[in-house]
């Protein structure tokens, strides 16, 4: 809707604000796409990020340090940092086992 509203602004002065809004929306969508997908075909990424040309998409991908594969026609997103909660779970299990051993010695 926002993209369509860009062509229906009351005066040309509003285009400045619409461009800022579109950049913000595009960056938020890009952030979500990075976390949701390992990679996307060029056409899908271009559509999701509201680009009209492949050159715009490739420039945006370069700015976000995404890996572009022209032979596969795909963009691969940088991998997310590993979730540290997995390692915290291992520590909790070790502590629980340690407590169980202590209780066993007491009893």
């Amino acid at each position: 809707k926002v993209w369509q509203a860009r062509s229906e602004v009351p005066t040309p002065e509003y285009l400045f604000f619409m461009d800022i809004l579109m950049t913000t929306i595009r960056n938020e969508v890009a952030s979500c796409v990075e976390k949701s997908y390992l990679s996307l075909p060029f056409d899908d990424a271009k559509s999701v990020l509201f680009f009209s040309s492949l050159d715009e998409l490739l420039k945006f991908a370069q700015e976000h340090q995404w890996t572009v594969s022209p032979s596969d026609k795909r963009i691969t997103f940088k991998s997310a940092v590993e979730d540290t909660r997995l390692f915290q779970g291992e520590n909790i299990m070790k502590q629980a086992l340690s407590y169980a051993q202590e209780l066993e010695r007491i009893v």
Side-chain angles (χ1 to χ4, degrees), residues 43-79:
D43 291 337
D44 293 345
K46 190 172 86 170
S47 173
V48 167
L49 296 170
F50 307 105
F51 286 115
S52 57
S53 75
L54 183 60
D55 291 335
E56 291 175 322
L57 173 65
L58 296 178
K59 182 180 175 189
F60 188 80
Q62 185 179 16
E63 290 171 1
H64 283 79
Q65 299 175 343
W66 296 338
T67 305
V68 177
S69 175
S71 60
D72 295 336
K73 296 184 179 181
R74 293 186 82 77
I75 293 178
T76 303
F77 306 107
K78 50 188 175 182
S79 59

Side-chain angles (χ1 to χ4, degrees), residues 15-26:
L15 286 176
F16 172 77
F17 298 108
M18 291 302 290
D19 289 340
I20 292 173
L21 182 59
M22 277 309 301
T23 301
T24 302
I25 291 171
R26 186 173 284 138

Side-chain angles (χ1 to χ4, degrees), residues 33 37-41 74-77:
V33 167
Y37 301 97
L38 295 175
S39 67
L40 276 177
R74 293 186 82 77
I75 293 178
T76 303
F77 306 107

